């Protein structure tokens, strides 16, 4: 009996010591982690508010937030639960808050954060949608800010520039049908002239990823599910 | 395998080549193959695992006389899990890009056989100083092995080294970045290490 108590006591003391050490490290790293996450978000917002075609900002430079306070001033919709919308058909979610910016041409630009379920967990994407004069939405660009559960070398390539570009500039017509990756849209194998047709495929709601993400379909599927959820949310809330 | 009779120098050098954790002991292959797709990721994973290995060896060696034999495995796992959580928090805070790239393999360092293997085979039986040297030697051996794989796969699969282009992508052998390529390349290096080991043994006998 005494032996068992001794073992229990030793394990308890060990756990308490480890718990104290972990708590101490957590306190030290809490602010740097929040800072890293904020920097990643601010950088992503600036990125998605840049035109992929011209490389120029779609909003005036002074509108780009550089601190949490400036970012908070751009909040358009928020929800204390942290979740604004869940796609009823696919695992795509829109997170709170959604930001609204005013473009140089006077058009509203919505910046949304959302996630889909990838190979290892959440794949978090930031995307900008421009509401055009006819009230239809045009997706400008995306940035994948958290893919830490995806396989390095495969799914984790989702934020490589050559992969990310495939999700840029999707027009309203593409979202009407629901955006899909080319394998899910039965566009596989790809025709020899597919590179020249990437824009056309986007109008049809097809994002070609199988050539740049070989061996990883689940991660880009998580991104398109997120984009579809974002579009549905805007259709419901911003029309 | 390492034992208590080795000198400090012998303890340190054992893990570099003779008892290399990857090529000689064939430990921790899952994270090694998965994260060695390029040199940057391989170096990051190697450094993170080495940090945990050194600290866990020191910690486990220093508590080896207190921990009863019956509970040594859960105690070691708890220590290793706590150290990995610390590394994960530090990487999230100070190396965000690398943390995102290494993904789920940082938390999985907890179950890396190299760390548990050294805790059980060496740190639980040796002094803190020797355990530190063992952790350092084995860690450097692991970094060398994973970096060799990462560089080979990146050069062959992308035509780059640490992101710097060596030749056009058109000449890249893409399969080396994929899982089958990882097995082919590690098999190739294991064969070389095995051959060197056989040659050295035959020379000693002669």
């Amino acid at each position: 009996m005494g032996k068992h108590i001794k073992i229990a006591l030793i394990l308890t003391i060990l756990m308490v010591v480890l718990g104290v050490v972990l708590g101490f490290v957590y306190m030290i790293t809490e602010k740097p982690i929040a800072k890293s996450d904020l920097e990643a978000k601010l950088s992503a917002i600036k990125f998605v508010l840049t035109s992929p075609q011209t490389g120029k900002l779609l909003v005036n430079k002074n509108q780009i937030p550089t601190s949490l306070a400036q970012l908070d001033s751009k909040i358009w919709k928020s929800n204390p639960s942290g979740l604004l919308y869940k796609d009823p058909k696919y695992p795509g979610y829109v997170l709170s808050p959604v930001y609204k910016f005013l473009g140089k041409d006077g058009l509203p630009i919505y910046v949304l954060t959302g996630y889909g379920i990838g190979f290892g967990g959440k794949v978090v994407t930031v995307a900008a949608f421009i509401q055009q004069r006819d009230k239809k939405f045009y997706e400008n660009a995306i940035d994948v800010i958290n893919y830490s559960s995806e396989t390095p070398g495969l799914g984790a390539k989702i934020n490589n520039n050559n992969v990310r570009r495939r999700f840029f500039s999707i027009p309203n017509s593409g979202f009407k049908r629901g955006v899909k990756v080319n394998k899910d849209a039965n566009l596989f194998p790809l025709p020899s002239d597919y590179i020249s047709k990437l824009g056309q495929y986007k109008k049809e709601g097809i994002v070609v990823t199988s050539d740049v993400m070989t061996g990883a379909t689940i991660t880009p599927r998580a991104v398109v599910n997120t984009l579809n959820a974002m579009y549905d949310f805007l259709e419901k809330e911003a029309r | 395998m390492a034992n208590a009779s080795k000198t400090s120098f012998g303890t340190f050098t054992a893990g570099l080549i003779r008892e290399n954790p990857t090529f000689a002991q064939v430990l921790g292959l899952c994270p090694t193959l998965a994260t060695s797709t390029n040199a940057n990721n391989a170096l990051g994973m190697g450094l993170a695992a080495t940090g945990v290995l050194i600290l866990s060896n020191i910690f486990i060696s220093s508590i080896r006389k207190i921990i009863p034999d019956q509970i040594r495995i859960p105690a070691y796992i708890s220590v290793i899990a706590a150290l990995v959580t610390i590394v994960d928090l530090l990487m999230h805070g100070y190396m965000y890009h690398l943390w995102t790239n290494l993904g789920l393999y940082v938390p999985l360092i907890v179950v890396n056989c190299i760390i548990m293997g050294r805790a059980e085979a060496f740190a639980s039986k040796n002094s803190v100083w020797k355990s530190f040297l063992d952790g350092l030697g084995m860690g450097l051996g692991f970094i060398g092995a994973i970096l060799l794989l990462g560089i080979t796969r990146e050069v062959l699969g992308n035509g780059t080294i640490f992101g710097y282009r060596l030749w056009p992508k058109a000449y890249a052998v893409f399969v080396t970045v994929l899982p089958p390529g990882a097995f082919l390349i590690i098999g190739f290096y294991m064969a070389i290490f095995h051959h060197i080991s056989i040659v050295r043994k035959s020379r000693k006998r002669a």
Side-chain angles (χ1 to χ4, degrees), chain A residues 148-213:
Chain A
S148 64
S149 298
E150 300 309 287
T151 315
L154 293 170
K157 284 164 72 179
I158 191 71
N159 210 36
N160 286 3
N161 203 34
N162 63 330
V163 178
R164 197 168 46 180
R165 288 190 72 82
R166 296 294 173 86
F167 298 89
F168 291 176
S169 312
I170 303 175
N172 195 76
S173 60
F175 285 104
K176 278 284 173 204
R177 303 167 190 217
V179 179
K180 288 178 178 156
V181 291
N182 65 296
K183 275 193 176 176
D184 292 342
N186 293 323
L187 184 67
F188 190 80
L190 293 164
S192 57
D193 59 345
Y194 76 97
I195 288 285
S196 61
K197 291 181 177 170
L198 290 177
Q200 180 57 39
Y201 291 144
K202 282 178 189 173
K203 283 180 189 166
E204 295 166 15
I206 302 169
V207 176
V208 177
T209 56
S210 62
D211 58 332
V212 285
M213 289 277 290

Coordinates of all heavy atoms in Angstrom, one line a residue, chain A residues 148-213:
Chain A
S148 N -1.3 24.3 -40.7 CA -0.3 23.7 -39.9 C -0.6 22.2 -39.7 O 0.3 21.4 -39.2 CB -0.1 24.4 -38.5 OG -1.3 24.3 -37.8
S149 N -1.8 21.7 -40.0 CA -2.1 20.3 -39.8 C -2.0 19.5 -41.1 O -2.3 18.3 -41.2 CB -3.5 20.1 -39.2 OG -3.6 20.7 -38.0
E150 N -1.6 20.2 -42.2 CA -1.4 19.5 -43.5 C 0.0 18.9 -43.6 O 0.9 19.4 -43.1 CB -1.7 20.5 -44.6 CG -3.1 21.1 -44.6 CD -4.2 20.1 -44.4 OE1 -4.5 19.4 -45.4 OE2 -4.8 20.0 -43.3
T151 N 0.1 17.9 -44.5 CA 1.3 17.2 -44.6 C 2.4 18.1 -45.3 O 2.1 18.6 -46.4 CB 1.1 15.9 -45.5 OG1 -0.1 15.3 -45.0 CG2 2.3 15.0 -45.4
P152 N 3.5 18.2 -44.7 CA 4.6 19.0 -45.4 C 5.0 18.4 -46.7 O 5.1 17.2 -46.8 CB 5.8 18.9 -44.4 CG 5.1 18.7 -43.1 CD 3.9 17.8 -43.4
G153 N 5.1 19.2 -47.7 CA 5.5 18.8 -49.1 C 4.3 18.4 -49.9 O 4.4 18.2 -51.1
L154 N 3.1 18.1 -49.3 CA 1.9 17.8 -50.0 C 0.8 18.9 -49.8 O 0.8 19.9 -50.5 CB 1.4 16.4 -49.6 CG 2.4 15.2 -50.0 CD1 1.9 13.9 -49.4 CD2 2.4 15.1 -51.5
G155 N 0.0 18.6 -48.8 CA -1.1 19.6 -48.5 C -0.6 20.9 -48.1 O -1.2 22.0 -48.4
A156 N 0.6 20.9 -47.4 CA 1.2 22.2 -46.9 C 1.7 23.1 -48.1 O 2.1 24.2 -47.8 CB 2.3 21.9 -46.0
K157 N 1.6 22.6 -49.3 CA 2.0 23.5 -50.4 C 0.8 24.4 -50.8 O 1.0 25.2 -51.7 CB 2.3 22.6 -51.7 CG 3.7 22.0 -51.5 CD 3.9 20.8 -52.5 CE 4.0 21.4 -53.9 NZ 4.2 20.2 -54.9
I158 N -0.3 24.4 -50.1 CA -1.5 25.1 -50.5 C -1.2 26.6 -50.5 O -1.8 27.3 -51.3 CB -2.6 24.8 -49.5 CG1 -4.0 25.4 -50.0 CG2 -2.4 25.3 -48.1 CD1 -4.5 24.7 -51.2
N159 N -0.3 27.1 -49.7 CA 0.0 28.6 -49.8 C 1.2 29.0 -50.6 O 1.6 30.1 -50.6 CB 0.1 29.1 -48.3 CG -0.4 30.6 -48.3 OD1 -1.3 30.9 -48.9 ND2 0.3 31.4 -47.5
N160 N 1.7 28.0 -51.4 CA 2.8 28.4 -52.3 C 2.1 29.3 -53.4 O 1.0 29.1 -53.8 CB 3.3 27.1 -53.0 CG 4.2 26.3 -52.1 OD1 4.4 26.7 -51.0 ND2 4.8 25.3 -52.6
N161 N 2.9 30.2 -53.9 CA 2.3 31.2 -54.8 C 1.7 30.6 -56.0 O 0.6 31.0 -56.4 CB 3.4 32.3 -55.2 CG 2.7 33.6 -55.6 OD1 1.7 33.9 -55.0 ND2 3.3 34.2 -56.5
N162 N 2.3 29.6 -56.6 CA 1.8 29.0 -57.8 C 0.5 28.3 -57.6 O -0.3 28.1 -58.5 CB 2.8 28.1 -58.5 CG 3.2 26.9 -57.6 OD1 3.2 27.0 -56.4 ND2 3.5 25.8 -58.2
V163 N 0.3 27.8 -56.3 CA -1.0 27.1 -56.0 C -2.0 28.1 -55.6 O -3.2 28.0 -56.2 CB -0.7 26.1 -54.8 CG1 -2.0 25.4 -54.4 CG2 0.3 25.1 -55.1
R164 N -1.7 29.0 -54.8 CA -2.6 30.1 -54.3 C -3.2 30.8 -55.5 O -4.4 31.2 -55.5 CB -1.8 31.0 -53.4 CG -2.6 31.9 -52.5 CD -1.7 32.5 -51.5 NE -0.5 33.1 -52.0 CZ 0.4 33.7 -51.3 NH1 0.2 33.8 -50.0 NH2 1.5 34.2 -51.8
R165 N -2.4 31.1 -56.5 CA -2.9 31.9 -57.7 C -4.1 31.2 -58.4 O -4.9 31.9 -59.0 CB -1.8 32.1 -58.7 CG -0.7 33.1 -58.3 CD 0.2 33.4 -59.4 NE -0.4 34.2 -60.4 CZ -0.6 35.6 -60.3 NH1 0.0 36.2 -59.3 NH2 -1.2 36.3 -61.2
R166 N -4.1 29.9 -58.3 CA -5.2 29.2 -58.9 C -6.6 29.5 -58.3 O -7.6 29.2 -58.9 CB -5.0 27.7 -58.8 CG -3.7 27.2 -59.6 CD -3.9 27.4 -61.1 NE -2.7 27.1 -61.8 CZ -2.3 26.0 -62.3 NH1 -3.1 24.9 -62.0 NH2 -1.2 25.8 -63.0
F167 N -6.6 30.1 -57.1 CA -7.9 30.4 -56.5 C -8.2 31.9 -56.6 O -9.2 32.4 -56.0 CB -7.8 30.1 -55.0 CG -7.6 28.6 -54.7 CD1 -6.4 28.1 -54.6 CD2 -8.7 27.8 -54.5 CE1 -6.2 26.7 -54.3 CE2 -8.5 26.4 -54.2 CZ -7.3 25.9 -54.1
F168 N -7.4 32.7 -57.4 CA -7.6 34.1 -57.5 C -8.6 34.4 -58.6 O -8.8 33.6 -59.5 CB -6.3 34.8 -57.9 CG -5.2 34.9 -56.9 CD1 -4.0 35.4 -57.2 CD2 -5.5 34.4 -55.6 CE1 -3.0 35.5 -56.2 CE2 -4.5 34.4 -54.6 CZ -3.2 35.0 -54.9
S169 N -9.3 35.6 -58.5 CA -10.1 36.1 -59.6 C -11.2 35.1 -60.1 O -11.3 34.9 -61.3 CB -9.2 36.5 -60.8 OG -8.1 37.2 -60.4
I170 N -12.0 34.6 -59.1 CA -13.1 33.8 -59.5 C -14.4 34.7 -59.6 O -14.8 35.3 -58.7 CB -13.3 32.6 -58.5 CG1 -12.1 31.8 -58.3 CG2 -14.5 31.8 -58.9 CD1 -12.1 30.8 -57.2
P171 N -15.0 34.7 -60.8 CA -16.2 35.6 -61.0 C -17.4 35.0 -60.4 O -17.4 33.8 -60.0 CB -16.3 35.7 -62.5 CG -15.7 34.4 -63.0 CD -14.6 34.0 -62.0
N172 N -18.5 35.8 -60.3 CA -19.8 35.4 -59.8 C -20.3 34.1 -60.4 O -20.9 33.2 -59.7 CB -20.7 36.5 -59.9 CG -22.0 36.3 -59.0 OD1 -21.9 36.6 -57.8 ND2 -23.1 35.9 -59.6
S173 N -20.1 34.0 -61.8 CA -20.7 32.8 -62.5 C -20.1 31.5 -61.9 O -20.8 30.5 -61.8 CB -20.4 32.9 -64.0 OG -19.0 33.0 -64.2
G174 N -18.8 31.5 -61.5 CA -18.2 30.3 -60.9 C -18.9 29.9 -59.6 O -19.1 28.8 -59.4
F175 N -19.2 30.9 -58.8 CA -19.8 30.6 -57.5 C -21.2 30.2 -57.6 O -21.7 29.5 -56.7 CB -19.6 31.9 -56.6 CG -18.3 32.1 -56.0 CD1 -17.4 33.0 -56.6 CD2 -17.8 31.3 -55.0 CE1 -16.2 33.2 -56.1 CE2 -16.5 31.4 -54.5 CZ -15.7 32.4 -55.1
K176 N -21.9 30.7 -58.7 CA -23.3 30.3 -58.8 C -23.5 28.8 -58.9 O -24.4 28.2 -58.4 CB -23.9 30.9 -60.1 CG -24.3 32.4 -60.0 CD -25.6 32.5 -59.2 CE -25.9 33.9 -58.9 NZ -26.8 34.0 -57.8
R177 N -22.5 28.1 -59.5 CA -22.6 26.7 -59.7 C -21.9 26.0 -58.5 O -22.0 24.8 -58.3 CB -21.8 26.2 -60.9 CG -22.4 26.8 -62.2 CD -21.4 26.6 -63.3 NE -21.8 27.4 -64.5 CZ -21.7 26.9 -65.7 NH1 -21.2 25.7 -66.0 NH2 -22.1 27.7 -66.7
G178 N -21.2 26.7 -57.7 CA -20.4 26.1 -56.6 C -19.0 25.8 -57.1 O -18.9 25.0 -58.0
V179 N -18.0 26.4 -56.5 CA -16.7 26.1 -57.0 C -16.2 24.7 -56.6 O -16.5 24.3 -55.5 CB -15.7 27.2 -56.4 CG1 -14.3 27.0 -56.9 CG2 -16.2 28.6 -56.8
K180 N -15.5 24.1 -57.5 CA -15.0 22.7 -57.2 C -13.6 22.6 -57.7 O -13.2 23.4 -58.6 CB -15.8 21.7 -58.0 CG -17.2 21.5 -57.5 CD -17.9 20.4 -58.3 CE -19.3 20.2 -57.8 NZ -20.2 19.7 -58.8
V181 N -12.8 21.7 -57.1 CA -11.5 21.4 -57.7 C -11.7 20.6 -58.9 O -12.7 19.9 -59.0 CB -10.5 20.8 -56.7 CG1 -10.1 21.7 -55.6 CG2 -11.1 19.5 -56.1
N182 N -10.7 20.6 -59.8 CA -10.9 20.0 -61.1 C -11.2 18.5 -61.1 O -12.0 17.9 -61.8 CB -9.8 20.3 -62.1 CG -8.5 19.6 -61.7 OD1 -7.9 20.0 -60.6 ND2 -8.0 18.7 -62.5
K183 N -10.6 17.8 -60.0 CA -10.9 16.4 -59.9 C -12.3 16.1 -59.6 O -12.9 15.1 -60.0 CB -9.9 15.7 -58.9 CG -8.6 15.4 -59.5 CD -7.8 14.5 -58.5 CE -6.5 14.0 -59.1 NZ -5.7 13.2 -58.2
D184 N -12.9 16.9 -58.7 CA -14.3 16.8 -58.3 C -15.3 17.2 -59.4 O -16.4 16.9 -59.4 CB -14.6 17.6 -57.1 CG -13.9 17.1 -55.8 OD1 -13.5 15.9 -55.9 OD2 -13.7 17.8 -54.8
A185 N -14.7 18.0 -60.4 CA -15.6 18.4 -61.5 C -15.4 17.5 -62.7 O -15.7 17.9 -63.9 CB -15.2 19.9 -61.9
N186 N -14.8 16.4 -62.5 CA -14.5 15.4 -63.6 C -13.6 16.0 -64.7 O -13.7 15.6 -65.8 CB -15.8 14.8 -64.2 CG -16.5 14.0 -63.2 OD1 -15.9 13.3 -62.4 ND2 -17.9 14.1 -63.2
L187 N -12.8 16.9 -64.4 CA -11.8 17.5 -65.4 C -10.5 16.9 -65.1 O -9.5 17.5 -64.6 CB -11.8 19.0 -65.3 CG -10.9 19.7 -66.3 CD1 -11.5 19.5 -67.7 CD2 -10.7 21.2 -66.0
F188 N -10.4 15.6 -65.3 CA -9.1 14.9 -65.1 C -9.1 13.6 -65.9 O -10.0 12.9 -65.9 CB -8.9 14.6 -63.6 CG -7.6 14.1 -63.2 CD1 -6.5 15.0 -63.0 CD2 -7.3 12.7 -63.1 CE1 -5.2 14.5 -62.7 CE2 -6.0 12.3 -62.8 CZ -5.0 13.2 -62.6
P189 N -8.0 13.3 -66.6 CA -6.8 14.1 -66.8 C -7.0 15.4 -67.5 O -8.0 15.6 -68.2 CB -5.8 13.2 -67.6 CG -6.7 12.2 -68.3 CD -8.0 12.1 -67.4
L190 N -6.1 16.3 -67.3 CA -6.3 17.7 -67.9 C -5.9 17.7 -69.4 O -5.0 17.0 -69.8 CB -5.3 18.7 -67.2 CG -5.7 18.9 -65.7 CD1 -4.5 19.6 -65.0 CD2 -6.9 19.8 -65.6
P191 N -6.6 18.4 -70.2 CA -6.3 18.5 -71.6 C -4.9 19.3 -71.8 O -4.5 20.0 -70.9 CB -7.4 19.4 -72.2 CG -8.0 20.1 -71.1 CD -7.8 19.3 -69.9
S192 N -4.3 19.1 -72.9 CA -3.0 19.6 -73.1 C -2.9 21.2 -73.1 O -1.9 21.8 -72.7 CB -2.4 19.1 -74.4 OG -3.2 19.5 -75.5
D193 N -4.1 21.8 -73.5 CA -4.1 23.3 -73.5 C -4.8 23.9 -72.3 O -5.3 25.0 -72.3 CB -4.8 23.7 -74.8 CG -6.3 23.2 -74.8 OD1 -6.6 22.3 -74.0 OD2 -7.1 23.7 -75.6
Y194 N -4.7 23.1 -71.2 CA -5.5 23.6 -70.0 C -5.0 24.9 -69.4 O -5.8 25.7 -68.9 CB -5.5 22.5 -68.9 CG -4.2 22.4 -68.1 CD1 -4.0 23.0 -66.9 CD2 -3.2 21.6 -68.6 CE1 -2.8 22.9 -66.2 CE2 -2.0 21.5 -67.9 CZ -1.8 22.2 -66.7 OH -0.6 22.1 -66.0
I195 N -3.7 25.2 -69.6 CA -3.2 26.4 -69.0 C -3.8 27.7 -69.6 O -4.2 28.6 -68.9 CB -1.6 26.5 -69.2 CG1 -0.9 25.5 -68.3 CG2 -1.1 27.9 -68.9 CD1 -0.8 25.9 -66.8
S196 N -4.1 27.6 -70.9 CA -4.7 28.8 -71.5 C -6.2 28.9 -71.2 O -6.8 29.9 -71.5 CB -4.6 28.7 -73.1 OG -5.2 27.5 -73.5
K197 N -6.8 27.9 -70.6 CA -8.2 27.8 -70.3 C -8.5 28.1 -68.8 O -9.7 27.9 -68.4 CB -8.8 26.5 -70.7 CG -8.9 26.3 -72.2 CD -9.5 25.0 -72.5 CE -9.7 24.8 -74.0 NZ -10.1 23.4 -74.3
L198 N -7.5 28.4 -68.0 CA -7.7 28.5 -66.5 C -8.8 29.5 -66.2 O -9.6 29.3 -65.3 CB -6.4 28.8 -65.8 CG -5.3 27.7 -65.8 CD1 -4.1 28.3 -65.1 CD2 -5.8 26.5 -65.1
G199 N -8.8 30.6 -66.9 CA -9.8 31.7 -66.7 C -11.2 31.2 -67.0 O -12.1 31.5 -66.3
Q200 N -11.3 30.5 -68.1 CA -12.6 30.0 -68.6 C -13.1 29.0 -67.5 O -14.3 29.0 -67.2 CB -12.4 29.3 -69.9 CG -13.7 28.7 -70.5 CD -14.8 29.7 -70.6 OE1 -14.6 30.8 -71.0 NE2 -16.1 29.2 -70.3
Y201 N -12.2 28.1 -67.0 CA -12.6 27.1 -66.0 C -13.1 27.8 -64.8 O -14.1 27.4 -64.2 CB -11.4 26.2 -65.6 CG -11.0 25.3 -66.7 CD1 -9.7 24.9 -66.9 CD2 -11.9 24.7 -67.6 CE1 -9.2 24.1 -67.9 CE2 -11.5 23.8 -68.6 CZ -10.2 23.5 -68.7 OH -9.8 22.7 -69.7
K202 N -12.5 28.9 -64.4 CA -12.9 29.7 -63.2 C -14.4 30.2 -63.4 O -15.2 30.2 -62.5 CB -12.0 30.8 -62.9 CG -10.7 30.3 -62.2 CD -9.8 31.5 -61.9 CE -8.4 31.0 -61.5 NZ -7.4 32.0 -61.4
K203 N -14.7 30.6 -64.6 CA -16.0 31.1 -64.9 C -17.0 30.0 -64.7 O -18.2 30.2 -64.4 CB -16.1 31.7 -66.3 CG -15.5 33.0 -66.5 CD -15.6 33.5 -67.9 CE -14.8 34.8 -68.1 NZ -14.6 35.1 -69.5
E204 N -16.6 28.7 -65.0 CA -17.5 27.6 -64.8 C -17.4 27.0 -63.4 O -18.0 25.9 -63.1 CB -17.0 26.5 -65.8 CG -17.2 26.9 -67.3 CD -16.5 26.0 -68.2 OE1 -16.1 24.9 -67.8 OE2 -16.3 26.4 -69.4
G205 N -16.6 27.6 -62.5 CA -16.6 27.2 -61.1 C -15.6 26.0 -60.9 O -15.7 25.2 -60.0
I206 N -14.6 25.9 -61.8 CA -13.6 24.9 -61.7 C -12.2 25.5 -61.4 O -11.7 26.3 -62.1 CB -13.5 24.0 -62.9 CG1 -14.9 23.4 -63.3 CG2 -12.4 22.9 -62.8 CD1 -15.0 22.7 -64.6
V207 N -11.6 25.1 -60.3 CA -10.3 25.5 -60.0 C -9.3 24.4 -60.2 O -9.5 23.3 -59.7 CB -10.2 25.9 -58.5 CG1 -8.7 26.3 -58.1 CG2 -11.1 27.1 -58.2
V208 N -8.4 24.6 -61.1 CA -7.4 23.5 -61.5 C -6.3 23.5 -60.5 O -5.5 24.5 -60.3 CB -6.9 23.7 -62.9 CG1 -5.8 22.6 -63.3 CG2 -8.0 23.7 -63.9
T209 N -6.2 22.4 -59.8 CA -5.1 22.2 -58.8 C -4.3 20.9 -58.9 O -3.2 20.8 -58.3 CB -5.6 22.3 -57.3 OG1 -6.6 21.3 -57.2 CG2 -6.3 23.6 -57.0
S210 N -4.8 20.0 -59.7 CA -4.2 18.7 -59.7 C -2.7 18.7 -60.3 O -2.0 17.8 -60.0 CB -5.0 17.7 -60.5 OG -5.1 18.1 -61.9
D211 N -2.4 19.7 -61.1 CA -1.0 19.8 -61.6 C 0.0 20.4 -60.7 O 1.1 20.1 -60.7 CB -1.0 20.6 -63.0 CG -1.5 22.0 -62.8 OD1 -2.4 22.2 -61.9 OD2 -1.1 22.9 -63.5
V212 N -0.5 21.3 -59.8 CA 0.4 21.9 -58.8 C 0.3 21.4 -57.4 O 1.1 21.7 -56.6 CB 0.1 23.5 -58.8 CG1 0.7 24.1 -60.0 CG2 -1.3 23.8 -58.6
M213 N -0.7 20.5 -57.2 CA -0.8 19.9 -55.9 C -0.9 18.4 -56.0 O -1.8 17.7 -55.5 CB -2.1 20.4 -55.2 CG -2.1 21.8 -54.7 SD -1.3 22.1 -53.1 CE -2.4 21.3 -52.0

